[in-house]
Amino acid sequence: MGTDALDLLMPEPYKIKAVEPIRMLTRPERSKRLAEAGYNTFLLRSEDVTIDLLTDSGTNAMTDRQWAALMMGDEAYAGSASFERFAKAVSDVYGYPFVVPTHQGRGAEHLLSKSLITPGDTVPGNMYFTTTRLHQELAGARFEDVIIDEAHDPAADHPFKGNVDLKKFAALVKRVGAERVPYITVGCPVNLAGGQPVSLENLREVAQFCRSKKIMLVIDGARAVENAFFIQEREKACRGWSVARILKEMCALADTISVSAKKDLYVNIGGFLATRDEALFKKAAELCVVYEGLHTYGGLAGRDLEAMAVGAREMVQDEWVAHRVAQVRYLGARLEERGIPIVKPVGGHGVFVDAKAFLPHLGPEDLIAQSLAAWIYEDSGVRGMERGVVSAGRDEKGRNRPVKLELVRLTLPRRVYTQTHLDFVAAGIAKTWERRMELPGLRFVSEPKMLRFFQSRFAPAKVASGRR
Ligand code: PLI
């Protein structure tokens, strides 16, 4: 799947104009910092990190045109010209007539959930995302996963592992009644499955079913451009189409899109809800004033709206996303050639290391992926993120939600790191791989109630507990 040597050697489609120094601590210093951070990579100081692959969210390098646009920010409280330029860009690129800006993606999720959910509803989705599900639950809904089974198997090499299982979706609607399903969120692509895409064909089938049942189809479009790239590469019917055209086609099938602009749009902050449903727009704009700020700035400065407007138009140029995915695949290939187990196929925003296969001597109580993320930092200063039982959180009865996947995500910020940095990451993780059988698990020391992965603290288990 596009991983031959020439694909991997695609040169960066940019020159570097400003740089930021990186620090490299000694191993004893890193061990100390890790302990101080409660073995949670979210609690490390950025200055103590050598290569930061925690997230691609808001960590991107903007173009010179985006930086220049910042100066054009109209900082008027109401009716800013920057909002008009932003709204026009969203309408041109995504095709939606109505847009509500928000401070970031979860702001849009909050407005959407509050606008559409009646307590007792069920909201299906193709695997959960942390903030998305939490906002649905806070609005009184229950989330139900309707993704295809392959998504839960790290080794299943399906080209569209993010697809919705129409049978699961239809069975759910039959069980609870269409009137209790206000909308479905289709993540395109699916972050927690490894950045796995949804095919246009599948989205079309979901749209048809939604129309027949009067259920709103919402795309979680944080990385919709990457999804469009995979459709371009893998879906025969779309061969030769531009990424821009595919993105428009995806959006034409959905009623609404919720976007964290901190990903695709290459900005450091921002988000929005865009829709063709005027009633939803009016409700969300009203709530925006309560929770975010006036509906023409949504918690952002005028300059942020300008950077988003430029980013939205630039992101659909084919070479940007092609290079991004090639970089992610390059890292995946460097890990694979060392025998390090990763989720296949490699997705668009990061390489997901299969922590269960990496640390087979640990059991679920060892918080496998959380541990692996900690030991990787200790060995090399590379910061990744747990995507496993800690991220999944507890259910309403206080039990850990069961998870099939225990992954460490190595997420690539856009246009930030070079190939040499990625070689360094692979060599660093190889060090952890060499000492894997001596690595202990972790235990919770403290645990907040909501989105616990951000702020929990841990300590090493006395001895590796061993799989029973
Ligand atoms: O981090 P926000 O609030 O701008 O966006 C929330 C959000 C919504 N949907 C999806 C698919 C996301 O990936 C997402 C945020 N993701 C983060 C922060 C990440 O590290 O993946």
Side-chain angles (χ1 to χ4, degrees), residues 106-360:
R106 67 200 72 181
E109 291 168 348
H110 181 206
L111 303 185
L112 177 74
S113 307
K114 261 196 139 47
S115 297
L116 296 182
I117 289 169
T118 306
D121 285 348
T122 300
V123 180
N126 52 346
M127 203 174 268
Y128 82 99
F129 184 70
T130 51
T131 57
T132 318
R133 181 177 65 193
L134 180 60
H135 278 298
Q136 291 162 356
E137 290 173 348
L138 290 173
R142 205 176 54 85
F143 166 83
E144 197 162 315
D145 186 4
V146 293
I147 201 166
I148 58 171
D149 289 341
E150 287 88 337
H152 292 282
D153 175 3
D157 205 357
H158 188 295
F160 291 105
K161 236 170 150 175
N163 279 354
V164 171
D165 184 327
L166 265 295
K167 282 205 191 98
K168 286 186 195 168
F169 184 21
L172 157 71
V173 171
K174 194 162 173 211
R175 184 158 35 83
V176 302
E179 66 289 351
R180 296 322 308 255
V181 183
Y183 65 100
I184 176 172
T185 305
V186 181
C188 301
V190 183
N191 186 350
L192 297 193
Q196 305 297 336
V198 176
S199 71
L200 203 56
E201 188 187 10
N202 184 251
L203 208 53
R204 202 168 279 130
E205 287 167 358
V206 173
Q208 214 167 25
F209 180 75
C210 283
R211 258 196 311 278
S212 74
K213 300 289 179 193
K214 297 195 166 52
I215 294 170
M216 184 178 280
L217 170 50
V218 178
I219 288 180
D220 178 339
R223 302 178 184 85
V225 174
E226 288 164 21
N227 198 94
F229 170 83
F230 288 120
I231 289 176
Q232 182 188 55
E233 182 184 68
R234 297 175 188 172
E235 202 158 341
K236 273 206 186 91
C238 302
R239 287 270 154 78
W241 290 25
S242 66
V243 163
R245 178 177 170 194
I246 297 170
L247 178 64
K248 267 261 182 82
E249 192 70 22
M250 287 164 55
C251 292
L253 292 170
D255 307 286
T256 299
I257 193 166
S258 144
V259 176
S260 166
K262 299 171 73 173
K263 283 85 167 173
D264 270 354
L265 283 84
Y266 294 90
V267 292
N268 303 120
I269 195 72
F272 59 91
L273 189 67
T275 182
R276 61 185 91 264
D277 184 306
E278 193 167 2
L280 169 61
F281 166 66
K282 284 190 172 150
K283 182 83 190 152
E286 196 181 316
L287 290 173
C288 182
V289 181
V290 181
Y291 295 109
E292 299 280 318
L294 197 73
H295 59 283
T296 56
Y297 74 84
L300 297 165
R303 57 181 171 272
D304 300 324
L305 295 167
E306 295 283 355
M308 283 205 286
V310 175
R313 292 187 193 282
E314 289 181 342
M315 72 183 181
V316 285
Q317 292 169 20
D318 284 8
E319 66 273 20
W320 287 126
V321 60
H323 174 262
R324 164 159 184 68
V325 178
Q327 251 206 344
V328 175
R329 285 178 178 162
Y330 179 85
L331 176 59
R334 297 290 76 76
L335 294 174
E336 264 206 292
E337 69 194 13
R338 290 170 162 88
I340 295 169
I342 60 171
V343 173
K344 303 284 290 291
V346 172
H349 64 308
V351 179
F352 287 62
V353 179
D354 181 352
K356 270 194 210 167
F358 198 113
L359 301 174

Side-chain angles (χ1 to χ4, degrees), residues 15 17 58-70 265-269 303-304 306-308 310-311 314 320 414-416:
K15 295 186 285 182
K17 200 174 262 188
T59 52
N60 309 297
M62 296 202 293
T63 59
D64 47 3
R65 283 164 182 75
Q66 284 179 293
W67 280 108
L70 294 183
L265 283 84
Y266 294 90
V267 292
N268 303 120
I269 195 72
R303 57 181 171 272
D304 300 324
E306 295 283 355
M308 283 205 286
V310 175
E314 289 181 342
W320 287 126
R414 294 164 189 78
R415 304 187 291 220
V416 170

Side-chain angles (χ1 to χ4, degrees), residues 21-25 33 45 47-51:
I22 292 176
R23 270 202 334 152
M24 201 176 294
L25 303 187
R33 298 286 187 259
R45 296 167 67 235
E47 288 196 337
D48 297 334
V49 172
T50 303
I51 306 287

